Structure formats: structure tokens, C-alpha cells
Amino acid sequence: MADPRLPASEQPGSAPDPRSSSVPEQSGPAPDPRSFPGGDDLRVVRDLYGHPAPAPYAQARVWRRVAAARRRRRLTRLSALSLAAATALAVALMLVRGTPSAVPGRSILLAAASTAASGQQATYWHISRLHDGDRLTELWATRDGRAWTCTSTSTPSAPTSTAAPTTPTSTPAASASHLGRVATPAPPSGPAHEGSCAGRGRVVPVTGRAPFTMAGRDLTFRQIQELPADPAALKERVAAMLPAGSAGLLADALSGLLWSKPSPPAVRAAAYRALADLPDVRYLGGRADPLGRPGEAFSYPLPTGVRRTLIIDPATSQVLAGTDAGGTGGSQIVLTAGWTDQAPNLH
């Protein structure tokens, strides 16, 4: 019999009320029961037993995945920033220097080194130079240390072509591959013979001193021939030959081995390679020499504060001219340079 003093849910034999306080309360928003089949039944089960507890370590796995995703995003942002910073730095360096990139200049010097290495030697080494536009000098040297020189203060006729300095040959019409190039036929002899002081000066032997110098010190033919052909060893040897406190002359001393001294082909090649690695050597781009011959210009500082510029022809490995700026303004134009079997005219 029903007890009128008790509510219906507490009457003897009555079914428990699913909404009573003994059932766990809902701990989160309920999904829409219309979104899946049997939604009403699932709602009843959820109301009776509450949300299921998460699987062991599930929350830890989820957080590990979230942290890994955050790290990937952070690394991606850092990589993008690093690339942008490197690009900006490279552009800034190019703008500050205000000169052509050093990479093409180094490649040009290395190409000239390859050409120089294929050169050959002969009986005499000969060079003809025009100093400051009005003084012509010539020098011949042999392996046994003999040397002859000739000086003329009258201006020779200017070359009619823009070819590189001619390499002396044994006969006027012959061609040679000394110093890695083919010589052009020599012009007729006489007072107007380009690159020669014939008829304007007398060829005399060099006596009482060595025919070559480096930083003011005498240098013999044998010393030049015995220089190492490895760029690093050559740089070290030349630096040791310079006077104390004249480290700023290293580039000039190495460049002298390219054109003003009878360097063996392998030594000339090593000098070009050593210059390519000197930080003070600056590439200035393509430039013609005072005679209009096209070449590539490089400059380096001297201890006096003057910058010396050399114009080279990488195809022949020849130095076309050298000029000083910022002080003396002196210049030398190379008319002929290299090895030859033709002896100087001593008459």
C-alpha cells in the first residue's frame, strides 16, 4: 500500500528515478542526439553513468603531439628569419664595398694562372717597357746570369693594333707559344720599331749589380728560377725575402713575378694563384690600358698609401700595364715580354 507521506519515487516497489542525485551529473556539454543513430539511447546511458574517463596516458600523448607541432612551427619561422638575415647581409656587403664581386675577379686570376702554367722557356728572357709615356727600356737576361739593357728617352711609335704584348721570337715572321700565347709578327726594324730602342739607344751589359730587384733588394736569375711553384710556399718564400716591416709589399712582390722578372711558367702560375687569395687585391672590372688594349684591372695598396693597378690579359696571362694612383701617378706599359731565342743586338 502506498504511503501518502512519501513521494512517488520513494514508495515501496517503485523504480529509481534516473534524474535522482545518485546518478553522476553531466560533466560537459551533451552532443546533439540527432547527430548519430540511437541518440536517445546513448543520452540515457550518458545520463545514467556520466562521460567515460579518458584512457590512461591519453592526455600525455595529446600534449606531446601539440608540443611537437609547436616546435615545428617555431623552427620553420626561425629558418625563414635566418635566410632573410643572410640575404640582407650579403646585399649590405655588396653595397658597402661598392666594387664588383670578388668571385669573378678570383676566377679571372685563376684562369690566367692556367694559361701561364702552359708557357715555355727559351734562351733569353726579354722585356720592353714604356715608362710614363716617354722613356723606353729593354732588358735581356740568360740563365747563366748575364744581362743587357737599353734605355731611350725618345718616344717610340705607338702600336697600330690592340694586341697583347708580343712575345719575342727567333725570327721576325715566326710564331711562338712562349708564356702560353702566340706571338704576332714583329714589325720592321728601325728607329720606329715599336717596343725597341734600336736606333735610339745602345745595348750595354748589366754589371756590378743583379739585373732584378724585389723591394729594393737585388735578385739573381737563379734565385727567381728556384722559387717554389706551390702558391702557399711561394707566398711564404717571397714574404721572407722582403725587408723587415714591409708586409704591405707582398702583393707587389708577387705581381712582379708575373711580368718584370724571368719567372718559370709554374712560378708565374703560382703567383697568380697566390694573388687570387690575398684580401688586399681588388678586382676593378674590365678596363683598357693606355694603348687601348682590353684587359681586366686589379689593384692593391702600397705602404706609401698609393694603390697600384695592373691590367692583365687572362687569355695570354700577360700584364699589359701598371699604373699608380693617389700620389706619383707613374705608369708602365708592357710592349713585349717573354722568352726568345733572339739575342740582343750588341753592335
Side-chain angles (χ1 to χ4, degrees), residues 42-330:
L42 291 176
R43 181 179 60 78
V44 172
V45 171
R46 184 200 64 213
D47 291 344
L48 287 172
Y49 300 104
H51 288 284
Y57 310 112
Q59 187 174 8
R61 287 198 302 270
V62 170
W63 276 113
R64 283 197 299 269
R65 292 175 184 175
V66 171
R70 289 177 177 174
R71 283 195 300 269
R72 286 194 296 271
R73 289 195 298 269
R74 185 164 56 251
L75 290 175
T76 301
R77 288 194 297 269
L78 289 175
S79 298
L81 290 174
S82 299
L83 179 59
T87 303
L89 178 61
V91 172
L93 288 175
M94 292 179 65
L95 292 176
V96 169
R97 287 174 182 169
T99 58
S101 172
V103 175
R106 187 175 189 277
S107 300
I108 290 170
L109 291 174
L110 294 180
S114 299
T115 304
S118 62
Q120 301 176 12
Q121 293 180 278
T123 306
Y124 300 91
W125 183 82
H126 173 243
I127 184 171
S128 174
R129 290 177 286 184
L130 184 62
H131 302 257
D132 300 327
D134 60 1
R135 184 169 62 91
L136 179 66
T137 63
E138 287 189 87
L139 177 66
W140 294 261
T142 60
R143 300 172 185 275
D144 59 7
R146 293 177 298 159
W148 299 265
T149 185
C150 178
T151 301
S152 171
T153 55
S154 58
T155 305
S157 61
T160 57
S161 69
T162 58
T166 57
T167 302
T169 57
S170 56
T171 59
S175 64
S177 60
H178 303 320
L179 290 179
R181 69 180 303 279
V182 176
T184 56
S189 60
H193 181 184
E194 75 176 43
S196 171
C197 61
R200 295 187 300 276
R202 182 178 174 218
V203 178
V204 296
V206 177
T207 58
R209 61 177 179 85
F212 309 100
T213 61
M214 178 181 288
R217 292 185 171 182
D218 285 350
L219 197 63
T220 65
F221 191 102
R222 182 175 178 179
Q223 286 177 305
I224 298 171
Q225 296 295 303
E226 292 177 348
L227 289 172
D230 175 75
L234 178 63
K235 184 166 61 174
E236 184 177 353
R237 176 79 64 84
V238 170
M241 296 169 68
L242 297 176
S246 58
L249 287 173
L250 180 59
D252 192 52
L254 287 170
S255 68
L257 298 174
L258 304 177
W259 60 298
S260 64
K261 297 173 180 62
S263 307
V267 173
R268 293 185 74 243
Y272 267 119
R273 294 187 176 106
L275 285 170
D277 291 331
L278 289 184
D280 289 340
V281 176
R282 183 184 303 169
Y283 175 51
L284 305 179
R287 183 178 299 183
D289 75 347
L291 296 181
R293 298 172 297 183
E296 303 291 340
F298 294 83
S299 73
Y300 51 82
L302 298 176
T304 58
V306 174
R307 289 199 71 89
R308 179 160 293 169
T309 299
L310 294 185
I311 301 177
I312 69 167
D313 180 2
T316 64
S317 79
Q318 293 285 1
V319 174
L320 304 179
T323 58
D324 292 345
T328 63

